[in-house]
Amino acid sequence: MFPTANDPTGAVTAPAPAEIDVPTGIDLLADADAGVRMRSAMDLGRLRAAQAAPALVERLGLEPEFLIRETLTWAILRLEEEAGPFVDQALSSPRWLARRQAVHVLSKQGRPEDADRLIPLIGDDVDAVASRAYGAAARTHAASVVPALVGQLARGDAEHRNMLTAALAELGESAVPALVGALRGSHRAEVRRHAADSLAYLGSPGADLAALPLAEAVDDPDEQVRLAALNAIGGLEVPFAAEVVTRAARSEEPLLGHLAERLASRHTAVCSRAATVLGTPLPGSDGRILREGTVAAAPGVLVELLCESEVIAGSVRFLALAQKIADLAAEWPAAREPHRLPLDGGTAGEALAHLSWAAGEPLALGRVVRLPGPTVTHLVRGGPGCPARAGALVSFDGGPGAPDRAHPVAVQVAAMSPRYVSRSDVPDDVLAAVRDAATRKARDGSRSEAAVRRVVAGEVESFFHDTVLLDQVSIVDPGRTVDGLLYATGVHITGFERLEVGAGR
């Protein structure tokens, strides 16, 4: 037993660590008296009694008193190495309280290596476990936890949602792309609203990148989402936000207009900076390479529009502008500078400048490729409404029905990146280099000259099948080559072009 002493108030004074009998202390973790349990946890923690680690962790899932659980957590953290394996086991305990307290221990450590352990707990069936896991996961600052956290948007009551919002805000800018994805893509209005609320909580500068998607969400079909999006963009300290607020203040929708008026009064300085759109300097790229964007297609043309971030690449306005420029390029096939073509009362270049200003990042018109004659196109997208990362343009000769027969060839070009239409298109010097490299490789062994010739011929044939469009195995009909797919159809491929976002940079 522990020796005890009572002070005049009746409080129990804990013994010095030297007087602790560890096995007895472990037994007293489950004592009926809460004061004894508290003292036992404190004493075992002060002593750093390694043999008590399993019992301390086990008690986490059984202890009804909050303050004692906090003391148990403190004691376990003092035995981090010894208690670690038992904490990991508790994460999958059938007792929800054990899972919650094990997560709480990890939240105090904030180690990136714990992210994978915490991800399953973010979706725990018990709200009390999940909400604790939100904060613990955020404190790892690991990007891998973001999708799981965003997947819980709109879960639980207001307090529960606030805990998730705070966790996402702690992750900062790294959470913005996933939040924008939910704002754009969820079919549930409550998820879109929670995403907007989380971006509002994050605020400037962390959520500045979301200004354009939030502006688009001000037109959401759900009133609560519209209000949440306007509230979020109204809290951003970027000129474009003030323009959106000013426009919304003229809305015929009473609540939206009233909210915009309140926001505008708090952002007078920002509104004045936004008074003249084209007078605002275009964000410079500062030498940065633009690797995001989309490919748009129109008859006879592919256009690459580039930006800096995935958030802007998926913007409705960005994708719409890319398509408008592609349509213009198709309408004016002789135009060498598509950015000078007329668009929406100005030029395509001015529209691009305005969107760049609104997005808060540099945008650029990339490559424009054309082919004469009848053509088909194919774009590679990650899903409906997503930007096209690659596109193919194929020109052909043929009669009625030829476009339908040529389209699988465009799919082939987009997926397999051939370099030549037919074997006759391969330059002599390229073919000679392939033969020379194959010959040197074949002669490294002890092959006869006849064997070397056969190996070289095989290497050349493999090169044709890899790089020549008509020789490739058809991606839509693996039983035939592309040439076999077109046999007896009357369709002849005369050329192709392929664009992949950022590949030309």
Side-chain angles (χ1 to χ4, degrees):
M1 294 290 294
F2 287 103
T4 61
N6 293 326
D7 66 17
T9 65
V12 177
T13 303
E19 302 174 18
I20 295 175
D21 173 57
V22 173
T24 300
I26 291 173
D27 290 340
L28 292 177
L29 288 173
D31 195 87
D33 187 323
V36 173
R37 298 200 304 274
M38 172 73 84
R39 187 176 68 248
S40 177
M42 291 181 65
D43 289 340
L44 291 171
R46 281 200 297 263
L47 187 62
R48 285 190 168 94
Q51 70 189 85
L56 288 166
V57 175
E58 181 182 15
R59 187 63 196 171
L60 276 177
L62 300 169
E63 177 55 54
E65 297 290 338
F66 171 77
L67 290 178
I68 299 177
R69 292 200 300 270
E70 289 296 290
T71 305
L72 289 166
T73 299
W74 166 80
I76 288 166
L77 289 170
R78 289 173 64 85
L79 295 167
E80 183 175 336
E81 184 176 348
E82 295 87 350
F86 302 102
V87 173
D88 285 347
Q89 292 175 16
L91 291 172
S92 56
S93 170
R95 291 180 175 272
W96 72 267
L97 186 59
R99 300 196 302 275
R100 183 182 189 276
Q101 294 306 123
V103 167
H104 183 54
V105 171
L106 295 186
S107 76
K108 299 293 186 181
Q109 296 167 319
R111 300 176 304 193
E113 59 267 28
D114 289 332
D116 289 344
R117 297 184 183 93
L118 289 165
I119 287 173
L121 281 301
I122 290 172
D124 197 280
D125 291 339
V126 178
D127 282 356
V129 177
S131 62
R132 181 62 63 181
Y134 300 160
R139 291 183 192 107
T140 69
H141 295 284
S144 60
V145 306
V146 173
L149 288 169
V150 172
Q152 300 303 308
L153 287 171
R155 174 177 174 174
D157 59 17
E159 183 178 356
H160 186 97
R161 296 184 187 195
N162 288 341
M163 295 182 74
L164 177 57
T165 293
L168 289 165
E170 184 165 343
L171 288 163
E173 291 183 13
S174 64
V176 171
L179 283 169
V180 169
L183 180 65
R184 286 178 177 149
S186 177
H187 67 279
R188 296 173 58 200
E190 58 268 33
V191 170
R192 302 197 300 275
R193 179 185 179 185
H194 195 183
D197 287 341
S198 297
L199 290 167
Y201 187 84
L202 180 57
S204 285
D208 286 352
L209 185 61
L212 187 60
L214 284 168
E216 293 168 354
V218 174
D219 295 323
D220 192 275
D222 183 86
E223 180 187 49
Q224 294 302 313
V225 176
R226 294 195 296 272
L227 292 169
L230 180 60
N231 182 62
I233 197 170
L236 301 182
E237 297 177 3
V238 294
F240 175 63
E243 182 190 77
V244 175
V245 169
T246 301
R247 186 170 63 247
R250 299 191 293 268
S251 171
E252 296 180 0
E253 189 175 343
L255 288 178
L256 198 70
H258 179 66
L259 174 60
E261 289 175 0
R262 291 177 56 194
L263 292 169
S265 66
R266 296 186 353 227
H267 294 279
T268 303
V270 177
C271 287
S272 64
R273 293 200 301 270
T276 305
V277 171
L278 295 179
T280 303
L282 185 68
S285 65
D286 300 325
R288 291 170 291 181
I289 297 175
L290 305 183
R291 300 191 183 277
E292 298 297 332
T294 191
V295 175
V301 66
L302 292 177
V303 168
E304 177 189 41
L305 195 62
L306 296 167
C307 60
E308 193 174 43
S309 68
E310 292 181 11
V311 169
I312 301 304
S315 162
V316 173
R317 290 178 61 178
F318 181 84
L319 297 176
L321 180 59
Q323 187 59 55
K324 286 181 179 180
I325 294 176
D327 292 340
L328 278 176
E331 184 181 351
W332 301 79
R336 294 177 177 268
E337 298 178 316
H339 64 280
R340 296 185 181 276
L341 294 174
L343 180 63
D344 296 339
T347 67
E350 289 172 342
L352 186 61
H354 182 278
L355 187 60
S356 179
W357 173 83
E361 68 179 46
L363 309 181
L365 179 60
R367 294 162 293 168
V368 178
V369 297
R370 293 184 171 91
L371 286 175
T375 59
V376 290
T377 60
H378 179 72
L379 300 177
V380 180
R381 302 182 186 276
C386 294
R389 292 290 304 178
L393 175 66
V394 172
S395 59
F396 60 92
D397 291 330
D404 290 340
R405 295 188 178 97
H407 185 262
V409 182
V411 176
Q412 184 81 21
V413 171
M416 302 307 298
S417 305
R419 294 164 57 187
Y420 315 102
V421 175
S422 66
R423 295 190 181 200
S424 62
D425 295 323
V426 180
D428 291 340
D429 59 333
V430 172
L431 199 54
V434 172
R435 287 197 177 98
D436 290 345
T439 300
R440 288 193 299 272
K441 181 180 176 182
R443 284 178 174 161
D444 284 345
S446 57
R447 297 181 180 88
S448 65
E449 281 301 309
V452 167
R453 287 193 295 273
R454 293 185 66 85
V455 170
V456 170
E459 289 288 334
V460 170
E461 193 68 15
S462 294
F463 173 80
F464 285 141
H465 286 292
D466 187 46
T467 63
V468 174
L469 173 62
L470 296 178
D471 279 66
Q472 289 183 339
V473 175
S474 169
I475 196 170
V476 299
D477 185 354
R480 293 187 280 182
T481 63
V482 174
D483 193 33
L485 193 69
L486 297 174
Y487 181 74
T489 63
V491 175
H492 303 280
I493 304 302
T494 58
F496 68 82
E497 293 283 356
R498 184 181 185 278
L499 282 186
E500 184 173 351
V501 171
R505 292 295 186 271

